[in-house]
Amino acid sequence: MAYDQHVREAQTVAARCAVITLSDTRTAETDKSGRRICQLLEGEHHCVARYRIIRDEPGELHALLTAVLAEPGLDAVLTNGGTGISRRDTTIEVVETHIEQSLPGFGELFRMLSFQEIGSGAMLSRAIAGVARGKLLFAMPGSTAAVELAMTRLILPELKHLLYELRK
């Protein structure tokens, strides 16, 4: 079946999502990136079933991912924050332990699009995605501009199609 036909057949798919912000300083009032992810998902008629802000601590993230990936009915987990190269940025290492099938194109395309916007600083992002326990798992940078880019140019245009393929 052609790609266009797959996309057309997937148009009725709606995702139930968990959104996780990793930050040592953000609160529900100051988490612009997490709120933006939720707004964009809901604007496309997806459901945000879980939203959490946790400290940028590997143990906390591992425990939360283990729990949400075990939840029946959730389709996707979207994280933001902790994808850089500072000593505190451990999100990618934790997320990688959960991914069973990687989607390397997400990180590659994100960095390419980011490069077009910000230049060589795009190489500092380690954004990744994959499939974990039958669910989509995305790890995005924490900046609102990066979240906007990832969501509008990559995740939302393909989310329904990705879920359609996973459900086959």
Side-chain angles (χ1 to χ4, degrees), residues 18-111:
V19 176
I20 301 169
T21 295
L22 291 111
S23 174
D24 294 329
T25 59
R26 292 186 191 170
T27 66
E29 294 77 33
T30 62
D31 181 22
K32 292 179 186 176
S33 296
R35 279 198 322 268
R36 188 66 182 135
I37 293 168
C38 293
Q39 291 168 345
L40 289 166
L41 286 167
E42 291 168 346
E44 293 292 322
H45 308 290
H46 299 293
C47 171
V48 177
R50 302 275 177 274
Y51 168 63
R52 291 276 308 273
I53 301 170
I54 64 170
R55 291 179 305 148
D56 197 355
E57 292 292 338
E60 285 186 50
L61 178 59
H62 178 71
L64 183 55
L65 284 177
T66 299
V68 296
L69 290 170
E71 280 190 43
L74 274 184
D75 299 301
V77 180
L78 300 94
T79 73
N80 73 98
T83 64
I85 61 168
S86 78
R87 282 181 295 184
R88 298 279 301 141
D89 292 331
T90 58
T91 299
I92 300 307
E93 288 72 22
V94 174
V95 168
E96 285 176 332
T97 67
H98 291 272
I99 289 178
E100 298 152 356
Q101 288 180 293
S102 67
L103 291 169
F106 172 74
E108 294 162 359
L109 289 168
F110 175 79
R111 283 180 286 280

Side-chain angles (χ1 to χ4, degrees), residues 79-162:
T79 73
N80 73 98
T83 64
I85 61 168
S86 78
R87 282 181 295 184
R88 298 279 301 141
D89 292 331
T90 58
T91 299
I92 300 307
E93 288 72 22
V94 174
V95 168
E96 285 176 332
T97 67
H98 291 272
I99 289 178
E100 298 152 356
Q101 288 180 293
S102 67
L103 291 169
F106 172 74
E108 294 162 359
L109 289 168
F110 175 79
R111 283 180 286 280
M112 179 199 74
L113 292 168
S114 185
F115 177 78
Q116 292 171 353
E117 290 189 4
I118 67 167
S120 59
M123 78 171 78
L124 276 73
S125 172
R126 300 184 300 141
I128 63 168
V131 177
R133 297 193 68 176
K135 296 169 177 50
L136 296 169
L137 177 54
F138 295 93
M140 297 174 272
S143 84
T144 307
V147 160
E148 184 87 26
L149 176 70
M151 291 296 295
T152 61
R153 299 287 307 275
L154 298 171
I155 296 171
L156 289 173
E158 285 301 318
L159 185 58
K160 293 177 179 188
H161 181 216
L162 286 162

